[in-house]
Amino acid sequence: MDEYRRPEPDDIRREPDAGPAGSASSDTTQTFGHDSDLSFVPFGSDLSDAELEAIDALPAGSALLLVRSGPTAGARYLLDSDVMTVGRHPEADIFFDDVTVSRRHAEITRDGSRFDIVDQRSLNGTYVNGERVDRAALVNGAEVRIGKFRLNFFVSPSDLPQASDA
């Protein structure tokens, strides 16, 4: 029966004398578990005052990615150009130095005030609101997951549809 149980992280061990064939290169992307690690639990609106001020200060035609969890939790990335690259490559516009992120993981494109995320055939995939996507439009408050990083996307308040006074 044990052969059918899901392996635990401690079940997999590398022998200390493993040679080049058994060693992990710093230039490879590691995969991670698909059930527990990929659960979608929205963060809600628990933004700090500083984050709210940063969102309010966004100029028209721009957006902000807030890293909510992962090795760089709390980081903010301004999206203010037509194409921004995301990945583990040191020259990526949004650089995530983690083995769960592909070197060229995704691109975020802008057309006017519309933003899309386009997966670049990454190993672990790109997720928007819990669903794996090849390409998806980013809407205000959307959760984006790249490797073990969870981010929230916010557009400039001046680009949001205005509520009617009726």
Side-chain angles (χ1 to χ4, degrees):
M1 255 328 161
D2 280 355
E3 65 186 287
Y4 296 108
R5 76 175 175 83
R6 184 182 179 125
E8 298 296 322
D10 292 340
D11 291 343
I12 302 171
R13 291 196 169 84
R14 187 176 308 279
E15 294 297 320
D17 61 344
S23 61
S25 166
S26 63
D27 197 32
T28 59
T29 303
Q30 288 184 352
T31 57
F32 59 108
H34 291 289
D35 293 330
S36 61
D37 295 321
L38 300 180
S39 62
F40 171 61
V41 180
F43 280 101
S45 59
D46 53 341
L47 298 173
S48 70
D49 289 339
E51 290 169 334
L52 290 170
E53 288 174 16
I55 294 166
D56 287 340
L58 287 171
S62 67
L64 190 68
L65 274 178
L66 299 176
V67 180
R68 303 306 293 270
S69 70
T72 59
R76 299 181 212 158
Y77 296 95
L78 177 64
L79 306 176
D80 62 351
S81 60
D82 290 338
V83 178
M84 298 202 53
T85 58
V86 181
R88 200 180 66 223
H89 192 280
E91 293 178 8
D93 297 312
I94 299 174
F95 173 60
F96 290 142
D97 189 15
D98 189 83
V99 294
T100 62
V101 177
S102 295
R103 291 174 59 78
R104 289 174 177 80
H105 199 100
E107 285 184 351
I108 299 173
T109 61
R110 176 180 69 177
D111 183 11
S113 61
R114 175 190 165 104
F115 289 83
D116 289 340
I117 190 159
V118 183
D119 186 77
Q120 300 295 301
R121 299 183 186 183
S122 64
L123 183 60
N124 285 320
T126 300
Y127 293 78
V128 175
N129 293 334
E131 292 187 32
R132 189 169 182 157
V133 298
D134 291 326
R135 180 183 196 100
L138 294 174
V139 297
N140 199 48
E143 181 188 282
V144 176
R145 189 171 50 243
I146 295 173
K148 60 172 72 167
F149 295 84
R150 289 176 67 183
L151 311 103
N152 278 121
F153 171 84
F154 296 98
V155 297
S156 169
S158 63
D159 293 330
L160 290 173
Q162 300 301 315
S164 63
D165 293 330

